Amino acid sequence: MNAMPRIDRASLMTLETYARERPQFRAKVIAHKKHRTVHLGGHVTLIFEDELTIRYQVQEMLRIERIFEEEGIKEELAAYNPLVPDGRNLKATMMIEYPDPDERSTNAAGSSRS
């Protein structure tokens, strides 16, 4: 079984390049995620991650935090690379969504009870 690709410095865009390419890259990732999304009931969604979806998250964090120094980039890669499936497993982000703030508050409080 082949290992999944890891995100490395060479696979990332510079902040300047990302600023220019972001609209197209974002659209590509959104379209890609549609085929990786599973809705479980009315409030829970799983998004199965891969190198592309996690690389997008890394690029967004670098942009938002304006990280351009090598050490900061290495820290982001160390934090996000474990979220990329390695070929022997699946990894997903679980989103629990309640648009109404009162309902969200009630359900969040209920989920923390033992």
Side-chain angles (χ1 to χ4, degrees):
M1 181 177 298
N2 292 337
M4 299 295 286
R6 304 295 284 174
I7 304 165
D8 60 20
R9 181 67 182 94
S11 69
L12 297 173
M13 294 178 238
T14 65
L15 290 179
E16 296 82 8
T17 301
Y18 188 64
R20 185 177 57 250
E21 300 293 327
R22 185 174 180 256
Q24 298 88 345
F25 187 57
R26 185 173 185 273
K28 174 184 174 180
V29 173
I30 289 170
H32 180 72
K33 282 185 175 187
K34 285 182 182 180
H35 302 287
R36 307 183 69 78
T37 301
V38 177
H39 299 283
L40 304 174
H43 302 288
V44 177
T45 303
L46 295 178
I47 301 173
F48 288 89
E49 305 292 1
D50 65 359
E51 187 274 340
L52 178 64
T53 63
I54 298 299
R55 185 163 32 98
Y56 172 71
Q57 290 179 38
V58 171
Q59 290 283 180
E60 284 293 298
M61 289 306 295
L62 296 175
R63 180 184 74 86
I64 291 165
E65 296 180 7
R66 300 200 186 292
I67 298 171
F68 58 89
E69 294 176 348
E70 200 62 33
E71 190 59 35
I73 294 169
K74 286 179 183 177
E75 288 174 9
E76 292 299 319
L77 290 173
Y80 280 93
N81 259 320
L83 303 177
V84 178
D86 64 13
R88 296 173 293 157
N89 54 33
L90 298 173
K91 298 192 180 180
T93 298
M94 181 173 69
M95 298 179 17
I96 302 171
E97 303 170 290
Y98 287 91
D100 178 64
D102 293 332
E103 186 181 13
R104 182 172 48 242
S105 177
T106 300
N107 284 290
S111 66
S112 65
R113 285 187 234 150
S114 310

